[in-house]
Amino acid sequence: GGSDTPPASNEIGGSPPPAASKPTSSATRVDRKATPVAVLNGTTQTGLARNVGNKLESSGFTILSVGDNADQKIATTSISYSDGNEKAARVVAQIMDVPASAVRAIDLSAAAAVSPEAKVVVIVGSDRSSTG
């Protein structure tokens, strides 16, 4: 025979819940330095991608590259991200004051236009070309 041990009681003891003893998860923070960003100019206005790159760099992101997009008739700025980098892309969108609807998973054309190391790709549209 076995002993019939009663089940443990459901009373909460003095120990803290496991979540309280863990440090803040790194998933809740974006390591900007460790997030390479590529910025592409989707317009014919010279210096637009560089200005955006400078702004993001001064906010702590690593700018991997700045260049011209193949299509230079982009109307609205878009921000795309590789797997696992959506949170970083959303931070970039906030810094640039771009709506969350402009943030999406990277597509083949954006991926092909930049280095594979880029975690976030910004394609600057003519909505950013105002000088104000």
Side-chain angles (χ1 to χ4, degrees), residues 113-129:
V114 298
S115 166
E117 287 87 45
K119 304 285 187 235
V120 176
V121 179
V122 178
I123 300 178
V124 185
S126 56
D127 58 339
R128 295 278 144 193
S129 65

Side-chain angles (χ1 to χ4, degrees), residues 3-71:
S3 66
D4 288 331
T5 310
S9 81
N10 286 334
E11 285 185 311
I12 295 173
S15 62
S21 61
K22 273 196 234 173
T24 305
S25 167
S26 62
T28 58
R29 278 190 50 107
V30 170
D31 186 350
R32 296 180 184 196
K33 244 334 166 221
T35 306
V37 179
V39 183
L40 296 173
N41 190 344
T43 76
T44 55
Q45 182 179 330
T46 306
L48 204 54
R50 170 56 54 207
N51 290 346
V52 169
N54 289 346
K55 182 173 187 174
L56 294 174
E57 196 166 40
S58 69
S59 296
F61 281 95
T62 298
I63 301 304
L64 184 67
S65 61
V66 174
D68 290 330
N69 193 45
D71 179 359

